Amino acid sequence: MSDHVYKVVELVGSSTDGVEPAIENALDKAGDSIRQMRWFEVQETRGHIEDGAVAHYQVVLKVGFTLDD
């Protein structure tokens, strides 16, 4: 097993459909410019309320990816 060095970035994903789609939206978009993503950690979950109901979900993620050799 080789040693790895990871860089960690913070992302905020959002969705009107729920927490999991918010996570997936963040990771999908980040995948356009970040290679070798390996893990994520949910740091914070919050939402927006309209007329007494959840209208929008936001999830703050830390995402780790390996650096190129």
Side-chain angles (χ1 to χ4, degrees):
M1 175 186 224
S2 62
D3 295 330
H4 294 284
V5 174
Y6 296 93
K7 180 165 180 76
V8 178
V9 296
E10 187 173 85
L11 305 172
V12 179
S14 62
S15 174
T16 57
D17 297 324
V19 172
E20 286 188 26
I23 293 169
E24 292 168 3
N25 288 342
L27 295 175
D28 286 346
K29 185 64 176 175
D32 291 343
S33 59
I34 299 174
R35 294 186 314 272
Q36 301 184 49
M37 289 188 295
R38 300 294 185 212
W39 55 267
F40 72 91
E41 178 181 343
V42 175
Q43 296 290 298
E44 185 178 341
T45 304
R46 59 182 175 240
H48 174 72
I49 301 169
E50 286 183 15
D51 300 322
V54 177
H56 218 93
Y57 299 85
Q58 287 186 332
V59 180
V60 179
L61 307 170
K62 281 188 178 179
V63 177
F65 59 95
T66 53
L67 299 174
D68 291 336
D69 290 335

